[in-house]
Amino acid sequence: MTGVNDLIDRPTEELPSPAVLIDLPTLRRNIAEMAKLADGFDVALRPHWKTSKCAEVGRLQLEAGAVGLTAATAAEVEALVVAGFEDVFWAYPPVGPHRIATALRAARQARLIVGVDSLASAEPLAEAAAAAGLTIEVRLEVDTGLGRTGVDPDEALDIAWRLAHTPGLVLEGVFTHEGHVQGVGADPERRTELGTAAGRLLAEVAERMRSDGLEIPSVSVGSTAGARSAPSVAGVTEARPGTYVYGDENQVAIGTIDPADTAMTVLSRVISTERGETVLVDAGIKAMSSDGSMHGDGRIGTVVSGSDGVSDGEGVLATGHEEHGFLRGSSPKRVGELIRIRPNHACGLTNMHSHVFAVENGVVVDIWPVLGRY
Ligand SMILES: Cc1ncc(COP(=O)(O)O)c(C=O)c1O
């Protein structure tokens, strides 16, 4: 954006809207807290970078002790390597020529570990790596309950053996994304139960492999909702939470993140009050993303208010068109008035924007490009 750097040192009220604000003190606190939690469990921390896609955030995470970062897309892997990050786990099947080419390029410049869940997804990468004279580290994904990618735990040993003996690959470990822990919603006991069970299942699978003669250095779990349970299990060696770094309304809704620990909001202006109690603002679907709400009421964002900028009670973005948000349940508003909105899902929101504004005490202190968007 032309002249965007002129906005550094300016109060947030002067920003063009909609604009993504990242509260720097909250961000730093979230990073420090998760580093402390991982330390307490004696596991390595490898945050999922898709939440921020900002090199600056990744560097803060590494400074706080993270061993490396996790990525989902080829564009994220490319961006991380170009930005100089040296240890990347690509937690996504390397299917298709573009992903194989990205993996080979990245593996020449950095330590790259690639997630696979079948021989079919691993063999083309193995062949390309062997032909290029490279050996690529792979982790086998195990489904511990989410029901997305990941091999059935009972079939993991057989596939691990084959991977370990495939030229061009070296089996580095096992991993899971225990996303089903978030799915149970606001039930802390059930979350702990499922997170612990996921960690236990993965550690058992790794133990079976070791008993069979395979070396399995890494046993990696990863999610924000499961961050207090899955990595606490003996045998788990690594945690990969992502959303924690910014926090979002869906984590607030289920009670895994306190509203005061959400660093990300969207600054928006009231553009019309012609619809009476429903007020129109300039943050619609293209600003907020269309990620669903765990409140179950279809909202696309939650308005925050108060001097701390985090307390609730100022209404919700009930729905949106592309550039129009429909604000309901708020106090009367004037055209031009500013509001701040907490997104349902931080990672989805990040991918909608080309940059974010790092702010402290209501002043812009830095502007961070969002890298590696599709
Ligand atoms: C493979 C993998 N690991 C880790 C994470 C991080 O989870 P969360 O964003 O809940 O912290 C995700 C998120 O989707 C993921 O897909």
Side-chain angles (χ1 to χ4, degrees):
M1 186 197 296
T2 318
V4 78
N5 284 324
D6 297 346
L7 296 165
I8 292 181
D9 290 335
R10 307 307 306 164
T12 52
E13 293 77 36
E14 294 183 14
L15 292 179
S17 54
V20 181
L21 310 184
I22 304 298
D23 186 69
L24 202 44
T26 311
L27 174 73
R28 288 185 186 281
R29 200 170 63 238
N30 291 347
I31 289 173
E33 285 296 314
M34 191 55 79
K36 204 165 114 196
L37 189 65
D39 234 31
F41 292 146
D42 200 19
V43 296
L45 183 61
R46 186 186 284 279
H48 207 309
W49 187 64
K50 68 177 167 178
T51 307
S52 76
K53 293 175 183 269
C54 291
E56 293 81 356
V57 175
R59 286 188 201 111
L60 290 173
Q61 290 171 312
L62 292 193
E63 276 166 30
V67 296
L69 296 172
T70 304
T73 67
E76 288 167 7
V77 172
E78 296 267 12
L80 281 170
V81 171
V82 168
F85 289 89
E86 291 174 347
D87 195 333
V88 177
F89 171 39
W90 188 359
Y92 201 87
V95 176
H98 65 300
R99 292 198 178 91
I100 291 174
T102 298
L104 297 192
R105 253 194 320 274
R108 285 194 181 94
Q109 296 174 63
R111 179 187 184 202
L112 178 77
I113 311 164
V114 179
V116 297
D117 75 348
S118 65
L119 288 174
S121 66
E123 273 167 350
L125 174 66
E127 279 162 26
L134 293 169
T135 306
I136 306 260
E137 291 182 73
V138 292
R139 280 183 186 171
L140 177 59
E141 181 172 12
V142 179
D143 177 24
T144 55
L146 177 60
R148 194 174 68 179
T149 44
V151 68
D152 184 300
D154 291 333
E155 287 163 22
L157 178 60
D158 180 47
I159 296 176
W161 255 103
R162 291 163 188 252
L163 288 172
H165 294 92
T166 302
L169 303 182
V170 59
L171 180 64
E172 189 271 345
V174 290
F175 79 104
T176 195
H177 168 51
E178 66 285 1
H180 53 298
V181 175
Q182 179 171 335
V184 301
D187 183 342
E189 279 168 25
R190 183 84 182 120
R191 280 204 307 270
T192 305
E193 211 176 287
L194 285 181
T196 308
R200 228 174 251 149
L201 182 53
L202 192 66
E204 277 166 20
V205 166
E207 243 350 279
R208 248 179 269 154
M209 292 174 182
R210 291 187 188 117
S211 309
D212 227 50
L214 294 173
E215 275 184 42
I216 305 292
S218 289
V219 180
S220 175
V221 297
S223 71
T224 294
R228 291 177 186 279
S229 52
S232 74
V233 172
V236 171
T237 66
E238 182 183 278
R240 309 181 319 276
T243 304
Y244 81 95
V245 79
Y246 286 164
D248 59 28
E249 184 63 21
N250 280 346
Q251 298 289 341
V252 169
I254 65 169
T256 46
I257 289 196
D258 192 85
D261 295 330
T262 51
M264 177 186 238
T265 51
V266 174
L267 182 77
S268 173
R269 284 184 170 82
V270 174
I271 51 165
S272 172
T273 56
E274 297 305 306
R275 298 279 73 78
E277 283 181 9
T278 298
V279 170
L280 274 295
V281 302
D282 62 5
I285 296 290
K286 283 181 177 169
M288 300 308 302
S289 88
S290 52
D291 276 303
S293 169
M294 291 208 61
H295 288 288
D297 56 8
R299 72 177 74 174
I300 62 164
T302 301
V303 179
V304 298
S305 64
S307 56
D308 56 358
V310 293
S311 43
D312 292 332
E314 273 295 301
V316 299
L317 275 204
T319 183
H321 291 181
E322 286 176 72
E323 297 88 7
H324 300 73
F326 292 72
L327 169 58
R328 300 207 176 115
S330 75
S331 54
K333 294 269 181 276
R334 287 171 288 106
V335 169
E337 203 172 325
L338 285 167
I339 59 165
R340 281 170 58 191
I341 312 158
R342 195 155 50 222
N344 289 341
H345 183 206
C347 315
L349 189 95
T350 285
N351 202 52
M352 309 298 284
H353 295 265
S354 58
H355 57 269
V356 300
F357 295 91
V359 303
E360 192 157 5
N361 296 324
V363 174
V364 177
V365 293
D366 212 350
I367 301 169
W368 296 336
V370 177
L371 306 172
R373 295 163 68 207
Y374 276 107

